[in-house]
Amino acid sequence: MANVLFISWFLSLAQFLTLVITIQAKIPAVIVFGDSSVDAGNNNFIPTIARSNFEPYGRDFTGGRPTGRFSNGRIATDFISQALGLRPAVPAYLDPAYNISDFAVGVTFASAATGYDNETSDVLSVIPLWKQMLFYKAYQMKLRAYLGEIQANQIINEGIHMISIGTNDFLENYYAFPGGRRSTQYTISEYENFLAGIAENFVRDLYGLGARKISLGGLPPMGCMPLERNTNLMGGRECVQSYNNVAMEFNGKLRKMVTRLNKELPGINLVFSNPYYIFMQIIRRPSLFGFEVTSMACCATGMYEMGYACAQNSLLTCTDADKYVFWDSFHPTQKTNQIVANYVVKRVLYKLI
C-alpha cells in the first residue's frame, strides 16, 4: 500500500514538474490590460486621485516600497509571470524606470478605476480601455524596432495577453450613480450585454494585432468586498448577494462569448479565467487558506478606506496582512493574490501552453 501511495505521489509530482517546465519553456511574455487588479503603477504618471504610490501600500513588496499596486505587495499578474518562468513582477508601461528590454518579457497597460465602459474611466480621469489598446500598438512598434520583426511577432503570437477588468463598471459607475446615465439607459442585464460587447471587440482587436493566447478575466464576488459589506447595514454587513448575482451572470455571458470566439477565430486560444469561485471558497472557509479576517480589510479601519484614505488612517492598519483576505476595502492582500494566481495558472492558463 505504501509503495502504491509513493508511486501515485511520484507520478503526480512528475506531472506537475513537467507542467512547470513546459510552461517556462513556451511563454515568452505576459502582456496585461485592465484595472486596479492588475495596475502596477500606471496611474502614478497621470493626473488622477486613483493612486496607491504611498505608504502603507507596498509595505510587503520587495524593498518595502509602494509602487502603485493596490495591495500590500504583489498582485496576481506578478505571481503569474513568475509561475510562467518570467520575472517576479510585471512593470507598468508608463513607468520611466523601465524600457522596452523590460517590457519584452512583461508589461501592464492597466489603470486603476477604469472599466470596459469609457464613462467608468471618466469618473476618476483614468486610462480608458481604448487608450490601453493604443499603448499596446505603440508597444508593438517599439518591440519590432528592438528585436526585429520575426522575434517581435513570436512574442506577440506566443505571449499570454491577460485582461482583468469590469468590477468598476458596476460598483463605481452603474450602481454608484442611481438615476445616472447608464442606470437609466440600461437595465442591469442590458448593461452586462453592453460591456460584454466591448469585451468581445477588444479580444477581436487583439487577435487582429497578432495575439493568439488570450485570457479574459471574470468578475470576483464583488458583493463581498469590505466596502460593500460594511455599507450593507440592512443586510447585517453580509455580502451583497445582488451584486454577486450580477457578477455570476456577467461571467456566464463572458464564458459563452469565449466559447463562440474560439470556434470563430482561426488559431485563437482564448480562455476564461474566472476568479469568482476560488474567491468565494476563501471567503467562506478562510481557515483552510490560513486567513482569519474576511469582512474587514487590513488597511486603516478596514471598513471603507482605499487609496489616500488608507494613508490618512494608516496608524490603524493591521500588523499582519497575511491574516486578512483584503488589504483595503476593495483590493485583496498579496497572499490572496498569490492563491488566486496559483489557481488560475493550474486550472486555466495551462491550456495556453
Side-chain angles (χ1 to χ4, degrees):
M1 182 65 180
N3 286 339
V4 172
L5 288 173
F6 175 77
I7 291 169
S8 175
W9 171 83
F10 180 80
L11 289 174
S12 296
L13 177 62
Q15 287 174 338
F16 175 73
L17 291 175
T18 301
L19 173 63
V20 170
I21 292 166
T22 305
I23 287 174
Q24 293 185 353
K26 291 192 175 182
I27 303 300
V30 173
I31 300 164
V32 186
F33 307 87
D35 56 22
S36 58
S37 60
V38 289
D39 181 2
N42 283 311
N43 279 16
N44 301 351
F45 307 99
I46 62 171
T48 179
I49 62 167
R51 291 185 181 182
S52 59
N53 57 333
F54 40 77
E55 296 177 348
Y57 287 92
R59 71 179 194 190
D60 298 311
F61 194 81
T62 304
R65 59 189 177 89
T67 61
R69 289 167 172 82
F70 276 80
S71 186
N72 58 305
R74 290 195 284 168
I75 52 179
T77 38
D78 295 325
F79 289 110
I80 289 169
S81 174
Q82 185 172 31
L84 296 175
L86 302 171
R87 295 180 182 176
V90 178
Y93 182 67
L94 296 183
D95 191 336
Y98 300 93
N99 56 42
I100 192 61
S101 65
D102 303 297
F103 300 148
V105 294
V107 61
T108 178
F109 305 100
S111 177
T114 200
Y116 285 114
D117 188 351
N118 289 338
E119 293 198 7
T120 303
S121 60
D122 289 343
V123 174
L124 292 176
S125 302
V126 295
I127 304 166
L129 195 56
W130 64 265
K131 194 165 187 179
Q132 293 184 36
M133 180 61 77
L134 289 185
F135 288 159
Y136 177 60
K137 290 177 180 178
Y139 162 78
Q140 286 199 354
M141 291 178 65
K142 292 175 185 175
L143 197 64
R144 290 190 171 98
Y146 174 63
L147 294 174
E149 193 80 16
I150 293 174
Q151 196 174 347
N153 285 344
Q154 184 200 7
I155 288 173
I156 293 162
N157 294 158
E158 296 295 325
I160 293 182
H161 294 68
M162 303 196 70
I163 306 162
S164 177
I165 195 168
T167 303
N168 296 316
D169 290 306
F170 296 100
L171 298 186
E172 304 300 316
N173 184 351
Y174 190 92
Y175 288 121
F177 303 105
R181 199 167 102 87
R182 289 310 191 206
S183 58
T184 53
Q185 185 179 9
Y186 299 111
T187 65
I188 189 62
S189 183
E190 289 169 344
Y191 190 58
E192 291 167 14
N193 294 339
F194 170 70
L195 299 178
I198 297 170
E200 177 173 341
N201 289 336
F202 192 81
V203 170
R204 288 181 180 276
D205 287 345
L206 285 177
Y207 177 82
L209 291 167
R212 291 297 178 268
K213 297 180 177 182
I214 304 172
S215 164
L216 179 62
L219 298 185
M222 55 191 185
C224 292
M225 293 173 174
L227 178 64
E228 307 310 325
R229 292 184 71 159
N230 287 293
T231 51
N232 184 27
L233 300 180
M234 297 296 289
R237 289 197 165 98
E238 292 298 318
C239 297
V240 182
Q241 192 56 48
S242 60
Y243 289 176
N244 286 352
N245 291 342
V246 166
M248 286 190 286
E249 190 172 83
F250 184 61
N251 286 347
K253 292 175 180 180
L254 293 182
R255 184 183 293 280
K256 287 180 182 177
M257 183 255 285
V258 164
T259 301
R260 177 166 49 81
L261 290 183
N262 273 318
K263 294 176 182 176
E264 185 180 330
L265 300 177
I268 198 172
N269 193 349
L270 175 63
V271 296
F272 180 57
S273 295
N274 187 359
Y276 187 94
Y277 296 106
I278 182 63
F279 252 113
M280 282 307 295
Q281 276 187 285
I282 293 169
I283 290 165
R284 286 175 175 162
R285 307 186 73 182
S287 60
L288 291 181
F289 301 89
F291 293 111
E292 296 179 9
V293 186
T294 62
S295 62
M296 308 281 278
C298 170
C299 191
T301 67
M303 298 171 69
Y304 314 108
E305 296 92 345
M306 69 178 104
Y308 286 108
C310 265
Q312 290 166 357
N313 295 306
S314 62
L315 292 177
L316 301 173
T317 297
C318 77
T319 54
D320 185 359
D322 284 351
K323 294 178 181 178
Y324 288 72
V325 174
F326 290 94
W327 165 248
D328 66 18
S329 66
F330 215 78
H331 304 98
T333 56
Q334 174 176 257
K335 181 177 175 180
T336 306
N337 286 329
Q338 184 172 19
I339 293 168
V340 172
N342 288 343
Y343 175 87
V344 168
V345 169
K346 293 174 184 176
R347 297 293 185 94
V348 183
L349 295 184
Y350 77 91
K351 298 172 186 175
L352 298 180
I353 307 309

